[in-house]
């Protein structure tokens, strides 16, 4: 009943029962996983079990022969042995061990439980090293406590990257001490669109919030304990209206600009001055102090170039730099920050529009406009993360049911999420090696709080987790019974997921209209025509 399904699982005979006196010990490199397990089992046992002791035990043993995220878990009537070479593998072994217990073990308090583990041998390792999910905290802010809760839910599913979309036209969500107005002014907006922008409905309730630098340090450390890397996204040169509202000198107009209240990309983008580059280098200097991720996302997507085309100063700067057109100017921005990040031992991550005008040497591509960007980047020798909007945009509707809340985009049902294949067709074996993995997106235009986030994320994220973890063929008919058992775990954790039969009455949003589309329409919108075949 494990999710995601492990590479090998062999049932044994008998069982082992963890009692309040059962030691849970570890070799020093794996102690963090043992500490997490002791803490997790404490409510069910009436207190944390000991770290040392005689007799039958749960032991984490260092096994240097295993890859960093691999583990072996052996349960016999005489005890439990979890083997790993590093913290991630040991932590995943601990997660699998807890999944072998009754779902009530996930409750925070209650009557002590009989923690009976069935005898089993599990040998496991993930298919991909990048198993990510994005949370867009710019459109609707998610309080820190909810980010920490979400990290626990990611860890349950062995998802190892949290991509935090921290800045956009609609809000700036991270404290930058050198530029306090980014959060004082850019951190809130006067109102928000309700439902799809197509219908023009609006509410005047202010929305805002941001993470202090201490909050970010806490989030990053909490994630690391759960074998999760947090990747920040600071958007440029588009999706920057909130920053321009705070510091008008970054923009292209003398007219005042407010934080954007409508969804979708605004036309206010960064100017091409050296002072603007220096501003964002200073921003990134502080960001890099907070995040230890090798990858840093600069966005680079959906840059509306209207202002650039009409602004005489931008056109002059383009001529001075020998840039042929506005696509080349966008590429110039990307290359500048690619060099900046590379010099500091980091790697630039950007959405697939960074391919337009030429790709920076060290860039890794988030391929969202179908699979064409993944194919082009991999063939050019660049690493790729697959996140096509028609497969893993989990803000999109989950069925054709008219009761789906704010039904935007195309249908991405549970079976669709399970069928997701990160490696696009048409790549050679060597090119396939550039596909680092996949990522599910949770853009938050239709998400005004954690309850709505739960509904859109789960149980689709469980299906996605198996798609990026499990090797070999997958069968939804085999997955669904395991998922039904898994839903009891989510119930115990208080996750307000979408029931398999459709939304609860209180999960509907008749007050907020959506805009249902087909897959072909979604691709046509972002590509300006049908997606090319891999051979084109």
């Amino acid at each position: 009943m494990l999710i995601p399904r492990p590479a090998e699982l062999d049932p044994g005979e008998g069982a082992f029962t963890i009692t309040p006196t059962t030691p849970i010990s570890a070799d020093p490199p794996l102690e963090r996983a043992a500490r997490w397990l002791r803490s997790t089992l404490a409510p069910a046992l009436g207190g944390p079990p000991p770290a040392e002791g005689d007799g039958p035990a749960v032991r984490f043993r260092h096994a240097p022969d295993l890859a960093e995220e691999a583990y072996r878990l052996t349960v016999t009537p005489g005890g439990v042995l979890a083997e790993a070479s590093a913290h991630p593998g040991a932590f995943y072994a601990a997660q699998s061990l807890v999944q072998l217990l009754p779902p009530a073990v996930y409750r925070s308090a209650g009557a002590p439980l009989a923690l009976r583990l069935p005898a089993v041998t599990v040998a496991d390792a993930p298919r991909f090293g990048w198993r990510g999910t994005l949370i867009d905290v710019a459109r609707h802010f998610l309080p820190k406590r909810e980010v920490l809760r979400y990290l626990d839910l990611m860890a349950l599913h062995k998802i190892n990257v949290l991509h935090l979309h921290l800045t956009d036209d609609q809000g700036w969500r991270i404290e930058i001490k050198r530029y306090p107005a980014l959060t004082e002014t850019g951190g809130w907006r006067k109102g928000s669109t309700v439902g799809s922008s197509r219908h023009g409905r609006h509410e005047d309730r202010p929305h805002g919030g941001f993470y202090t630098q201490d909050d970010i340090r806490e989030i990053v450390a909490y994630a690391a304990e759960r074998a999760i890397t947090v990747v920040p996204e600071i958007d440029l040169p588009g999706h920057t209206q909130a920053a321009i509202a705070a510091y008008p000198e970054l923009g292209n107009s003398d007219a005042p600009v407010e934080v954007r209240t409508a969804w979708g990309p605004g036309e206010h983008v960064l100017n091409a001055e050296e002072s603007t580059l220096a501003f964002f280098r200073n921003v990134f200097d502080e960001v890099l102090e907070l995040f230890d991720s090798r990858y840093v996302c600069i966005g680079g997507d959906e840059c509306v170039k209207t202002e650039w085309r009409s602004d005489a100063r931008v056109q002059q700067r383009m001529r001075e730099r020998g840039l042929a057109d506005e696509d080349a100017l966008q590429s110039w921005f990307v290359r500048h920050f690619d060099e900046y990040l590379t010099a500091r031992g980091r790697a630039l991550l950007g959405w697939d529009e960074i391919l337009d005008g030429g790709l920076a040497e060290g860039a890794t591509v988030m391929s969202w406009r179908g699979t064409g960007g993944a194919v082009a980047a991999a063939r050019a020798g660049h690493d790729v993360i697959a996140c096509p909007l028609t497969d893993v945009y989990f803000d999109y509707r989950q069925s054709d049911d008219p009761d789906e809340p704010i039904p935007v985009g195309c249908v991405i049902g549970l079976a669709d999420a399970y069928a997701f294949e990160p490696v696009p067709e048409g790549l050679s074996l060597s090119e396939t090696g550039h596909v680092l993995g996949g990522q599910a997106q949770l853009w938050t235009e239709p998400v005004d709080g954690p309850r709505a986030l739960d509904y859109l994320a789960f149980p689709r994220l469980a299906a996605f987790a198996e798609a990026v973890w499990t090797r070999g063929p997958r069968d939804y008919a085999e997955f669904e019974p395991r998922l039904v058992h898994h839903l009891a775990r989510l119930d115990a954790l208080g996750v307000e997921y979408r029931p398999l039969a459709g939304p609860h009455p209180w999960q509907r949003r008749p007050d907020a209209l959506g805009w249902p589309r087909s897959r072909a329409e979604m691709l046509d919108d972002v590509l300006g025509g049908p997606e090319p075949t891999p051979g084109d």
Side-chain angles (χ1 to χ4, degrees):
M1 293 297 180
L2 299 183
I3 288 181
R5 177 169 56 84
E8 299 178 26
L9 188 152
D10 297 314
E13 296 291 334
F16 177 74
T17 299
I18 300 175
T19 72
T21 59
T22 301
I24 299 179
S25 63
D27 291 343
L30 312 181
E31 171 54 33
R32 284 189 293 165
R35 183 173 66 240
W36 176 87
L37 183 59
R38 290 193 293 270
S39 174
T40 298
L41 298 183
L45 293 171
E52 299 292 342
D54 298 325
V58 177
R59 303 199 182 279
F60 288 81
R61 186 169 71 190
H62 187 228
D65 61 303
L66 294 176
E68 183 181 40
E69 293 192 296
Y71 68 92
R72 289 188 293 260
L73 178 64
T74 306
V75 180
T76 69
V80 178
L81 178 64
E83 298 174 279
S85 67
H87 172 62
F91 183 75
Y92 299 144
Q95 287 286 352
S96 292
L97 185 153
V98 177
Q99 285 197 18
L100 292 170
L101 293 167
V105 75
Y106 290 97
R107 296 192 179 275
S108 298
L113 299 174
L115 300 187
R116 185 177 182 274
L117 287 165
V120 69
T121 300
V122 179
D124 202 10
R127 179 186 177 195
F128 292 105
W130 188 294
R131 306 178 304 281
T133 184
L134 174 147
I135 301 181
D136 168 26
V137 296
R139 271 54 175 266
H140 277 108
F141 179 68
L142 195 67
K144 182 200 70 177
R145 67 179 182 274
E146 296 298 334
V147 176
L148 301 181
R149 182 186 75 102
Y150 196 82
L151 285 164
D152 282 327
L153 295 174
M154 290 173 59
L156 169 65
H157 297 89
K158 301 184 175 78
I159 292 173
N160 70 341
V161 176
L162 173 61
H163 181 157
L164 268 186
H165 183 74
L166 290 162
T167 71
D168 214 298
D169 296 315
Q170 293 83 9
W172 185 284
R173 307 295 178 213
I174 179 172
E175 177 189 28
I176 302 298
K177 293 186 181 296
R178 184 163 181 164
Y179 302 117
L182 286 172
T183 47
E184 291 170 357
T185 298
W188 70 279
R189 60 179 181 265
K190 292 182 177 180
S192 304
T193 299
V194 178
S196 169
S197 295
R198 182 179 181 83
H199 304 288
R201 299 190 63 184
H202 187 82
E203 67 173 5
D204 293 326
R205 181 178 63 172
H207 180 82
F210 66 93
Y211 307 109
T212 68
Q213 294 198 355
D214 283 342
D215 290 337
I216 293 293
R217 292 186 184 95
E218 181 183 356
I219 289 167
V220 170
Y222 193 88
E225 288 294 303
R226 287 146 184 81
I228 296 169
T229 298
V230 184
V231 174
E233 178 169 346
I234 307 293
D235 271 289
L236 60 87
H239 289 288
T240 48
Q241 187 165 324
I244 295 167
Y247 292 93
E249 63 270 23
L250 300 173
N252 297 284
S253 171
D254 293 331
V257 172
E258 294 187 336
V259 177
R260 184 172 171 84
T261 59
W263 307 140
E267 67 176 14
H268 298 294
V269 301
L270 299 181
N271 62 41
E273 300 301 316
E274 291 293 338
S275 58
T276 296
L277 293 178
F279 181 100
F280 275 89
R281 287 196 301 270
N282 292 335
V283 167
F284 279 112
D285 283 347
E286 294 192 30
V287 169
L288 297 187
E289 287 293 319
L290 300 171
F291 294 89
D292 57 6
S293 166
R294 178 186 171 221
Y295 294 92
V296 176
C297 188
I298 61 120
D301 61 311
E302 295 182 319
C303 181
V304 180
K305 301 178 175 70
T306 306
E307 287 187 337
W308 286 354
R309 295 188 184 100
S310 61
D311 187 85
R313 178 62 178 166
V314 170
Q315 293 296 315
Q316 177 185 342
R317 299 295 276 162
M318 287 170 57
R319 289 190 295 271
E320 290 171 357
R321 296 178 177 121
L323 301 174
D325 56 24
E326 290 75 20
D327 283 346
L329 177 56
Q330 177 172 322
S331 180
W332 173 81
F333 267 98
V334 173
R335 289 178 186 277
H336 178 86
F337 286 97
D338 178 60
E339 293 172 0
Y340 165 89
L341 291 169
T342 298
R344 288 154 181 79
R346 307 297 181 97
L348 182 143
L349 184 67
W351 302 97
D352 58 37
E353 286 95 330
I354 67 174
L355 291 160
D356 301 341
L359 190 57
E361 183 177 349
T364 296
V365 174
M366 304 280 298
S367 180
W368 74 280
R369 297 179 297 177
T371 59
V375 171
R379 286 179 175 168
H382 288 268
D383 288 342
V384 170
I385 297 151
C387 48
L389 78 164
T390 53
D391 298 82
V392 287
Y393 270 41
F394 287 174
D395 52 313
Y396 288 0
R397 58 199 173 109
Q398 303 189 54
S399 75
D400 284 319
D401 186 336
D403 286 329
E404 291 289 352
I406 317 182
V408 297
C410 60
V411 171
I412 302 178
L414 189 59
D416 299 314
Y418 190 73
F420 171 55
E421 174 48 57
V423 179
E425 296 179 359
L427 295 181
S428 68
L429 185 61
S430 62
E431 292 164 348
T432 296
H434 285 292
V435 180
L436 302 182
Q439 183 168 289
Q441 271 55 260
L442 283 155
W443 302 106
T444 59
E445 289 93 337
V447 177
D448 61 359
R451 299 181 79 180
L453 188 73
D454 279 5
Y455 178 89
L456 291 174
F458 298 101
R460 286 189 293 187
L461 204 64
F464 166 82
E466 190 149 308
V468 291
W469 177 279
T470 302
R471 300 175 186 271
R474 301 189 304 275
D475 180 1
Y476 183 79
E478 183 275 332
F479 169 73
E480 190 171 46
R482 285 187 290 114
L483 177 66
V484 170
H485 181 79
H486 187 68
L487 294 180
R489 299 176 185 133
L490 300 185
D491 286 329
L493 288 164
V495 179
E496 297 196 47
Y497 58 85
R498 180 190 186 274
L500 299 187
H504 291 299
W506 59 87
Q507 292 174 321
R508 302 167 189 167
R509 286 291 307 272
D511 62 313
L513 301 176
W515 188 20
R517 313 293 301 283
S518 69
R519 278 181 164 76
E521 287 171 328
M522 297 306 299
L523 281 172
D524 197 42
D525 277 355
V526 299
L527 293 170
E531 185 177 20
T533 60
D536 289 349

